[in-house]
Amino acid sequence: MKRIALCIGNDAYSILPALNCAIADATAMEKELKNLGFDTELRTDLDRTGLADAIFSFSDKIENYDAALIYYAGHGFQVDGDNILAPIELDIQARPELVKYNAFPLSDLTEVLNRFPNQTKIVILDACREIIGHRGAIKDFAPISAPQGSVIAFAASPGPGSPRTR
């Protein structure tokens, strides 16, 4: 079985609180997945363009594999009911529409993965959600249904009262 993995770790946030172990977590995950036979790619401290490029470049390779795994460590939360992954320059004090525009929506990621119905897809979100935020930014993820043939795993359960601090 051919397997591929993309591991993303964001620590160096310029506006949100900086993290100190997301890159270490992504690096450790990448090493373990490589030991398990995955072809791996590690990307760190990504801005919005870098985050989108990493995900879309990774999706270009999925068709040649039986299984694809994406691991994300960094800030993540919901804005107006939409789950987002936070690039390092994200400003959550902006209008909610701008926050969503400048982040990477989880729905966009699942849409990309839906293009590959014959592959097994796994998304692991190890997101720090302890954010003092804007009226539209909530420090948790909204529940989400995984597309057919996919698994979406959270480091902590979605919903209130379950933030994971770093």
Side-chain angles (χ1 to χ4, degrees), residues 68-90:
L69 184 147
I70 296 176
Y71 173 85
Y72 172 82
H75 284 296
F77 45 92
Q78 65 173 293
V79 175
D80 289 344
D82 291 333
N83 294 316
I84 63 168
L85 307 179
I88 60 169
E89 82 283 17
L90 185 66

Side-chain angles (χ1 to χ4, degrees), residues 17 19 22 31-32 40 53 59 70 81 88-89 96 102 110 116-117 133 153 159:
L19 301 175
K31 180 180 176 183
E32 286 302 315
T40 62
D53 180 62
S59 74
I70 296 176
I88 60 169
E89 82 283 17
N102 290 314
T110 59
F116 304 96

Side-chain angles (χ1 to χ4, degrees), residues 88-105:
I88 60 169
E89 82 283 17
L90 185 66
D91 180 3
I92 63 166
Q93 298 303 321
R95 298 171 51 108
E97 299 83 6
L98 286 175
V99 173
K100 289 193 296 189
Y101 178 78
N102 290 314
F104 196 90

Side-chain angles (χ1 to χ4, degrees), residues 6 8 10 13 51 70-76 85-87 124-127:
L6 170 63
I8 298 169
N10 282 349
Y13 287 91
L51 187 56
I70 296 176
Y71 173 85
Y72 172 82
H75 284 296
L85 307 179
I124 301 171
L125 300 173
D126 187 4

Side-chain angles (χ1 to χ4, degrees), residues 116-152:
F116 304 96
N118 299 321
Q119 284 78 6
T120 300
K121 287 90 52 188
I122 301 166
V123 177
I124 301 171
L125 300 173
D126 187 4
C128 179
R129 300 179 282 170
E130 193 62 36
I131 297 181
I132 312 282
H134 185 273
R135 60 187 160 84
I138 301 173
K139 64 178 184 177
D140 63 16
F141 278 118
I144 185 170
S145 296
Q148 185 172 351
S150 301
V151 173
I152 299 176

